[in-house]
Amino acid sequence: AQSVAQPEDQVNVAEGNPLTVKCTYSVSGNPYLFWYVQYPNRGLQFLLKYITGDNLVKGSYGFEAEFNKSQTSFHLKKPSALVSDSALYFCAVRDTNAGKSTFGDGTTLTVKP
Amino acid sequence: DAGVIQSPRHEVTEMGQEVTLRCKPISGHNSLFWYRQTMMRGLELLIYFNNNVPIDDSGMPEDRFSAKMPNASFSTLKIQPSEPRDSAVYFCASSLQTGLGYTFGSGTRLTVV
């Protein structure tokens, strides 16, 4: 079985400050990990993925995520938040033996000026 | 590529009517997913296809829901008869292989009155 948890429903940060959106996962095999962003009235957009290799993955819009196998985490980070980063963020995981991804419940990020 | 194309963007219908949602995946993608998103339940996977074959329909809420994928470039999600509790945003997504990053459509906002 595979599962993913986003422990925070909401994250609030000030513009220019670093942001972190947390994600932990559980799989029986090796994980494929993903982050997606959803802006209001839009579909989800792919941000970045970890398949194998370097634990630090860089994605779109200056976002990055670090795969930590011992902590089973894949937190999303950005060094300096923008107001335009305000959106709903989803973490997703797929076990290499599974046929589909499992999505978290989402975290609403609000960046205030 | 124009991305995943869903139609209609908005649908308002009366309770008891049949509703058909349509999806054109990205050319060459061999996996297609139907999701439903509501405030109460978040993002739910309804069904997914691999190479036009339904693989997992365990998320389809009731027999009133049915999905087809007659060919690699087209899928439908049908609700018959529709009920007010079916009101949600329905997303279609496709991927090149099951489990790698998904590309989502813009969604169909369904309102059943």
Side-chain angles (χ1 to χ4, degrees):
Chain A
Q2 60 190 29
S3 65
V4 61
Q6 295 182 241
E8 302 157 315
D9 290 337
Q10 282 210 312
V11 171
N12 299 312
V13 297
E15 188 174 30
N17 283 359
L19 70 86
T20 298
V21 183
K22 295 180 180 178
C23 173
T24 58
Y25 67 90
S26 175
V27 295
S28 55
N30 292 317
Y32 296 157
L33 294 155
F34 310 87
W35 276 102
Y36 294 82
V37 60
Q38 184 180 27
Y39 298 103
N41 301 312
R42 303 286 296 276
L44 281 70
Q45 291 177 234
F46 172 82
L47 267 182
L48 51 80
K49 67 184 178 190
Y50 171 82
I51 302 298
T52 186
D54 194 345
N55 290 344
L56 184 63
V57 178
K58 293 187 183 295
S60 307
Y61 311 122
F63 284 93
E64 58 189 28
E66 185 164 14
F67 170 62
N68 188 317
K69 188 172 184 177
S70 63
Q71 297 185 5
T72 61
S73 66
F74 190 59
H75 302 330
L76 181 70
K77 299 182 179 185
K78 187 173 182 180
S80 178
L82 300 173
V83 173
S84 57
D85 293 330
S86 299
L88 180 59
Y89 290 81
F90 290 93
C91 181
V93 66
R94 178 175 94 89
D95 191 304
T96 49
N97 297 319
K100 62 183 179 182
S101 292
T102 297
F103 283 77
D105 291 334
T107 298
T108 298
L109 172 68
T110 301
V111 182
K112 297 188 176 180
Chain B
D1 198 316
V4 175
I5 299 173
Q6 292 187 246
S7 63
R9 286 298 307 274
H10 302 274
E11 177 81 34
V12 180
T13 190
E14 293 185 345
M15 182 173 62
Q17 296 298 304
E18 178 179 296
V19 175
T20 299
L21 310 181
R22 297 172 176 79
C23 176
K24 176 178 168 53
I26 289 178
S27 177
H29 281 191
N30 62 354
S31 298
L32 183 141
F33 306 82
W34 281 102
Y35 284 88
R36 178 172 69 178
Q37 187 177 36
T38 61
M39 289 293 292
M40 291 295 294
R41 295 185 298 270
L43 192 66
E44 303 173 276
L45 176 64
L46 301 178
I47 185 172
Y48 81 95
F49 297 83
N50 196 28
N51 294 321
N52 311 339
V53 176
I55 302 300
D56 183 354
D57 65 354
S58 60
M60 296 287 262
E62 301 170 32
D63 290 345
R64 298 184 296 107
F65 286 68
S66 62
K68 294 182 179 180
M69 192 165 185
N71 57 62
S73 59
F74 185 65
S75 177
T76 60
L77 178 67
K78 185 177 294 186
I79 308 173
Q80 166 62 19
S82 57
E83 297 183 2
R85 59 193 168 120
D86 301 331
S87 297
V89 181
Y90 291 81
F91 288 105
C92 176
S94 69
S95 71
L96 188 56
Q97 297 179 37
T98 53
L100 293 186
Y102 297 175
T103 300
F104 282 79
S106 298
T108 294
R109 183 174 296 276
L110 173 65
T111 303
V112 183
V113 297

